[in-house]
């Protein structure tokens, strides 16, 4: 018994150490970013980095004065929310049908498309959108960002739908449901936590996606993440303002993730434990 | 309420034929039990009836309507699933009301029907609970409630008792039978448990490899099985099979010992052909302990299983393992010698090669 207990203690200790290192890898850059945003410009790039400094809001003030930050935030919110909704509207029925028919190759195709580098799509899309005069429109960004959100929705929801016993679908059919009604009345209400998880992941990925917005937006429709690129100049970079912008950009997904943490973890592990 | 008619029905999964060619008529109001071992096609047949599986050939009629291409939603059939398949996000009341809602019934009509069905099944007290708050037996009742609330043409049951414990199973079995007598709706019940089949059915359909082996009342299937498969499948413990040859008015076992031909049903011996290649079928309860009968065969008891109401005795007869059901008062012990003889007129005869019963 004592041998087992001490081996359990060792495992717990090793887990704690590994988690600590993993936490450091994730948290140090984030901490650096947040702290830097409160430093004066000359301190941001100082070497060795200063840990103790007099905090200032100088960077945030300069950010609000030099850029239409709220306008960019609005753009980001429009593009991200709409592309997340579009991803859900297209992805949820797609995942349901893939699970129902057990034909998953279309889902694999969407995943492959998602994994392909964005630059692959960029040129054809640029040409296409220019031909229909959509460059710089919200719709160009929303549609292209749906390519990011839809595969996430499909792949998060697939195990949720797979987890519903098939007989429940069949009972609904016998009860008089058309396939769409089975989806709407039975399947969808049973995967609400999956919908929440997929919506949040889709939101975060779309919010943070840089490349399409950089090329397909204009100064009116530029998203936050693309706008932050303005601070990186050819000659000099305003690191302080960049850090302040990055901190503000990271805030909405972070807040969302904290709010739905419990769902997020249970949703992400569902596929692994459904047995 | 409606009859069911299956004509030259074929069901395949890819190249694999589950049901090669099936004909079956189920009249209105009848309670039919499909029984057979795992993989015999009984559940597939039920799913075909429900419209959950398409067919590859033949015709299926519900009443006068050919339903080959009618989807499940439009067949007006209710089904109770093995795992109950209740909607987890709905209360018991919503579960039962759902199919009525789908048919566009009014709120009042739905409420009335749900209350009536709940009263019939004694589930009125937990109409507002969710399925996960119910025991297995209660869920089973809700599943039945969901089916009867519809007043459908046909009820289908797919092994609905297999997830219940033995005591509850017997109780629900009796309830379903009572319900069938009350509702007088055509019912098709699938099980691999021959006790369920015997106790509930108006008629039993015994299946093997997608082929119907026999259709008959429980008594017919038990007393006059069509072949060795049916004889061995129906009855517990299973029928004893002993290779015999007939001649000189006697049935001779493999070890040379003989039994009088009177143990067989009347007029059997003459139709037995050459008398070779036959199998004698004796149910365990059709062995009599007969110390005073000169024809009785002494057997040595190998194993005793007391069941309370009676006792099962295992022994070897002509090198074949056999079981007899005897009175518990006998209190046999392993090693004892018992004089056994099949009850006269009760033993059955089969062709060894084809398995066919000789009558």
């Amino acid at each position: 018994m004592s041998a087992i207990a001490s081996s359990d203690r060792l495992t717990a200790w090793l887990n704690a150490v590994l988690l600590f290192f993993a936490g450091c890898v994730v948290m140090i850059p984030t901490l650096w970013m947040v702290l830097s945003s409160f430093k004066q410009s000359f301190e941001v790039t100082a070497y060795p980095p200063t840990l103790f400094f007099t905090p200032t809001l100088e960077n945030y003030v300069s950010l609000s004065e030099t850029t239409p930050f709220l306008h960019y935030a609005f753009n980001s919110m429009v593009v991200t929310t709409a592309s997340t909704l579009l991803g859900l509207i297209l992805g949820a029925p797609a995942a349901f049908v893939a699970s129902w028919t057990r034909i998953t190759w279309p889902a694999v195709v969407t995943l492959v498309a998602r994994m392909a580098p964005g630059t692959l799509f960029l040129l054809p899309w640029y040409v296409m959108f220019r031909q229909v005069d959509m460059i710089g429109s919200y719709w160009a960004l929303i549609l292209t960002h749906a390519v990011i959100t839809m595969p996430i929705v499909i792949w998060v929801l697939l195990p949720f739908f797979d987890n519903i016993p098939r007989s429940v679908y069949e009972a609904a059919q016998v009860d008089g449901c058309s396939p769409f009604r089975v989806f709407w009345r039975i399947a969808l209400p049973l995967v609400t936590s999956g919908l929440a998880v997929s919506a949040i992941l889709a939101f975060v990925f779309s919010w943070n996606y840089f490349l399409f917005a950089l090329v397909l937006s204009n100064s009116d429709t530029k998203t936050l993440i693309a706008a932050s690129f303005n601070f990186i100049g050819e000659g000099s970079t305003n690191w302080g303002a960049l850090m302040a912008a990055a901190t503000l950009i990271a805030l909405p997904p972070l807040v969302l993730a904290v709010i739905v943490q419990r769902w997020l973890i249970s949703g992400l592990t569902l596929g692994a434990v459904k047995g | 309420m409606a009859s069911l008619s299956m004509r030259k029905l074929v069901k395949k999964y890819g190249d694999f034929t589950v049901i090669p060619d099936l004909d079956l008529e189920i009249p209105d109001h009848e309670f039919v039990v499909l029984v057979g071992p795992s993989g015999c096609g009984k559940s597939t047949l039920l799913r075909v009836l429900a419209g959950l599986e398409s067919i590859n050939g033949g015709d299926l009629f519900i009443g006068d309507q050919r339903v080959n291409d009618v989807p499940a939603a439009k067949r007006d059939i209710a089904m109770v699933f093995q795992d109950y398949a209740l909607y987890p996000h709905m209360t018991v009341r919503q579960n039962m009301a759902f199919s009525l809602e789908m048919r566009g019934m009014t709120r009042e009509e739905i409420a009335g029907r749900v209350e009536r069905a709940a009263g019939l099944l004694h589930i009125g007290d937990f109409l507002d609970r969710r399925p996960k708050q119910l025991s297995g037996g209660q869920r089973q009742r809700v599943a039945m409630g969901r089916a009867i609330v519809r007043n459908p043409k046909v009820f289908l049951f797919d092994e609905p008792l297999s997830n219940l414990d033995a005591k509850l199973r017997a109780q629900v079995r009796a309830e379903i039978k009572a319900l069938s007598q009350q509702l007088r709706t055509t019912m098709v019940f699938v099980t691999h448990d021959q006790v369920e089949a015997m106790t509930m059915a108006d008629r039993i359909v015994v299946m093997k490899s997608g082929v119907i082996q026999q259709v008959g009342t429980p008594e017919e299937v038990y007393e006059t099985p069509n072949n060795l498969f049916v004889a061995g499948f129906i009855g517990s413990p299973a029928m004893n099979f002993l290779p015999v040859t007939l001649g000189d008015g006697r049935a001779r076992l493999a070890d040379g010992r003989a039994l009088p031909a009177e143990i067989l049903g009347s007029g059997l011996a003459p139709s037995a052909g050459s008398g070779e290649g036959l199998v004698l079928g004796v149910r365990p309860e059709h062995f009599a302990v007969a110390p005073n009968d000169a024809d009785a065969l002494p057997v040595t008891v190998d194993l005793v299983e007391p069941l309370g109401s009676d006792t099962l005795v295992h022994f070897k007869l002509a090198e074949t393992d056999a079981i007899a059901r005897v009175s518990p008062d006998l209190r046999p012990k392993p090693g004892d010698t018992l004089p056994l003889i099949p009850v006269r007129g009760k033993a059955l005869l089969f062709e060894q090669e084809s398995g066919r019963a000789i009558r």
Side-chain angles (χ1 to χ4, degrees):
Chain A
M1 280 300 282
S2 67
I4 292 171
S6 68
S7 124
D8 279 352
R9 263 203 304 278
L10 185 71
T11 311
W13 188 82
L14 271 174
N15 278 343
V17 169
L18 283 174
L19 274 174
F20 175 77
F21 279 112
C24 284
V25 169
V26 176
M27 289 311 295
I28 284 177
T30 313
L31 209 63
W32 193 312
M33 173 186 78
V34 176
L35 290 178
S36 298
S37 75
F38 291 105
K39 287 178 183 176
Q40 293 195 12
S41 287
F42 67 90
E43 274 180 313
V44 175
T45 49
Y47 190 82
T50 49
L51 268 181
F52 301 99
F53 57 92
T54 318
T56 169
L57 288 174
E58 185 186 289
N59 294 320
Y60 289 90
V61 174
S62 109
L63 186 68
S64 66
E65 281 170 355
T66 55
T67 58
F69 192 82
L70 281 179
H71 180 69
Y72 293 148
F74 174 77
N75 290 344
S76 270
M77 203 50 95
V78 168
V79 170
T80 302
T81 309
S83 65
T84 301
L85 278 176
L86 193 61
L88 284 170
I89 289 167
L90 298 174
F96 171 70
V97 171
S99 169
W100 173 303
T101 58
R102 301 202 171 106
I103 300 172
T104 48
W105 67 261
V108 174
V109 169
T110 61
L111 188 69
V112 169
R114 170 68 190 88
M115 284 171 160
T119 42
L120 199 74
F121 303 100
L122 214 50
L123 189 63
W125 276 352
Y126 184 80
V127 173
M128 275 166 52
F129 284 121
R130 200 181 52 189
Q131 294 224 328
V132 291
D133 201 21
M134 277 173 72
I135 299 286
S137 71
Y138 281 135
W139 275 111
L141 294 180
I142 291 166
L143 288 173
T144 52
H145 275 222
V147 174
I148 314 287
T149 57
M150 195 181 73
I152 295 170
V153 172
I154 291 177
W155 282 93
V156 169
L157 283 182
L158 247 180
F160 278 88
F161 284 125
D162 283 346
N163 223 24
I164 299 173
R166 215 169 171 73
S167 58
V168 172
Y169 294 157
E170 291 173 346
Q173 283 180 281
V174 172
D175 270 350
C177 284
S178 62
F180 178 75
R181 273 197 165 163
V182 175
F183 166 68
W184 188 248
R185 293 290 307 269
I186 303 297
L188 214 51
L190 288 175
V191 298
T192 43
S193 58
L195 281 174
V197 172
S198 61
I200 284 144
L201 289 179
F203 186 93
V204 171
F205 277 82
S206 169
W207 182 269
N208 290 334
Y209 205 77
F210 170 73
L211 193 61
F212 299 158
L214 187 73
V215 177
L216 299 174
S217 67
N218 60 21
S219 56
D220 269 347
T221 55
K222 197 166 270 185
T223 59
L224 270 181
I225 198 98
S228 64
F229 198 55
N230 291 351
F231 296 108
I232 300 173
E234 270 183 39
S236 68
T237 297
N238 183 353
W239 287 107
L242 187 61
M243 288 299 119
T247 304
L248 290 176
I249 292 169
L251 219 51
L254 211 66
V255 169
L256 260 177
V258 170
I259 291 172
V260 294
Q261 201 188 143
R262 195 171 53 86
W263 271 354
L264 207 60
I265 291 166
S266 72
L268 290 174
T269 53
L270 181 80
V273 296
K274 78 180 178 121
Chain B
M1 279 158 265
S3 59
L4 283 168
S5 179
M6 289 146 257
R7 298 172 195 167
K8 304 255 169 255
L9 204 83
V10 180
K11 175 64 195 170
K12 294 177 183 177
Y13 291 114
D15 293 335
F16 180 65
T17 305
V18 184
I19 299 171
D21 178 12
L22 185 137
D23 287 283
L24 180 63
E25 299 286 332
I26 300 175
D28 199 2
H29 303 317
E30 195 171 56
F31 193 135
V32 166
V33 175
L34 305 179
V35 70
S38 298
C40 73
K42 57 190 189 299
S43 281
T44 304
L45 182 58
L46 198 77
R47 293 170 59 78
V48 163
L49 295 179
L52 297 171
E53 302 282 353
S54 59
I55 51 177
N56 303 90
D59 287 311
L60 173 61
F61 288 84
I62 298 175
D64 298 330
Q65 190 193 3
R66 182 175 174 273
V67 294
N68 287 27
D69 305 313
V70 178
K74 300 220 162 91
R75 289 197 182 184
D76 195 14
I77 270 180
M79 184 158 169
V80 178
F81 291 80
Q82 186 171 8
D83 61 357
Y84 318 136
L86 300 176
Y87 309 128
H89 58 304
M90 296 185 191
T91 63
V92 169
R93 191 190 302 279
Q94 289 165 334
N95 261 282
M96 288 167 73
F98 186 70
S99 62
L100 305 179
E101 243 177 78
M102 290 296 110
R103 281 168 176 74
M105 283 192 187
T106 63
R107 225 174 253 259
E108 293 73 34
E109 201 174 349
I110 291 174
R113 281 199 185 205
V114 169
E115 291 294 336
R116 265 198 306 280
L120 203 64
L121 292 161
H122 314 292
I123 52 176
D125 288 342
F126 37 85
L127 279 178
D128 294 316
R129 287 198 211 160
R130 292 269 166 92
K132 69 173 177 197
Q133 296 168 300
L134 304 176
S135 69
Q138 288 167 334
R139 282 180 207 184
Q140 214 285 335
R141 280 207 182 86
V142 175
M144 289 209 311
R146 192 171 64 176
I148 66 170
V149 81
R150 291 240 320 261
N151 200 12
K153 285 183 188 159
V154 181
F155 280 114
L156 305 177
F157 294 88
D158 188 8
E159 308 209 24
L161 308 182
S162 56
N163 287 341
L164 303 178
D165 63 53
K167 193 180 167 197
L168 204 55
R169 197 153 54 219
Q171 186 188 334
V172 179
R173 201 167 64 204
E175 283 174 5
I176 293 179
K177 180 147 193 184
L179 204 65
S180 79
Q181 285 164 359
Q182 210 171 338
L183 299 172
R184 302 298 297 152
T185 308
T186 313
M187 293 191 180
V188 184
F189 189 105
V190 160
T191 180
H192 62 267
D193 181 342
Q194 47 92 22
V195 177
E196 277 173 26
M198 291 294 287
T199 51
M200 298 171 85
D202 291 332
R203 276 198 310 159
I204 292 177
V205 177
V206 186
M207 292 180 70
K208 181 191 171 196
S209 310
V211 178
I212 292 178
Q213 304 294 308
Q214 186 165 6
V215 182
T217 64
E219 294 78 14
E220 283 168 355
V221 172
Y222 182 79
E223 285 166 13
T224 52
N226 269 355
N227 54 37
L228 278 172
F229 175 78
V230 177
F233 191 78
I234 300 289
S236 177
M239 184 182 278
N240 300 297
F241 296 120
L242 304 161
V244 289
T245 48
L246 290 187
D248 310 330
R250 294 183 71 83
R252 196 164 297 278
L253 298 172
D255 63 357
R257 294 194 286 180
L259 288 160
E262 297 88 70
I263 60 162
L264 299 165
S266 60
L268 269 185
S271 65
S274 66
E276 301 281 329
L278 300 173
V279 174
L280 187 72
V282 185
R283 293 210 178 273
E285 50 274 38
H286 292 156
F287 271 116
V289 182
N292 301 322
D293 193 325
D295 287 321
L297 302 174
V299 299
T300 306
V301 175
D302 291 331
L303 183 74
V304 176
E305 289 181 282
L307 301 177
S309 57
D310 37 38
T311 297
L312 300 180
V313 175
H314 294 242
F315 56 92
K316 274 203 168 54
L317 190 55
E319 301 301 311
T320 307
D321 289 320
I323 299 176
R325 191 189 290 271
V326 301
S327 162
D329 299 335
L330 218 57
R331 300 193 186 283
K333 287 188 288 296
D336 286 358
T337 302
L338 280 182
L340 293 179
I341 186 163
V343 175
R344 281 171 170 76
K346 289 290 190 185
L348 302 170
L349 207 55
F350 302 90
E351 285 177 357
Q352 185 145 38
E353 209 173 290
S354 68
R356 197 171 56 87
I358 299 168
R359 295 195 181 121

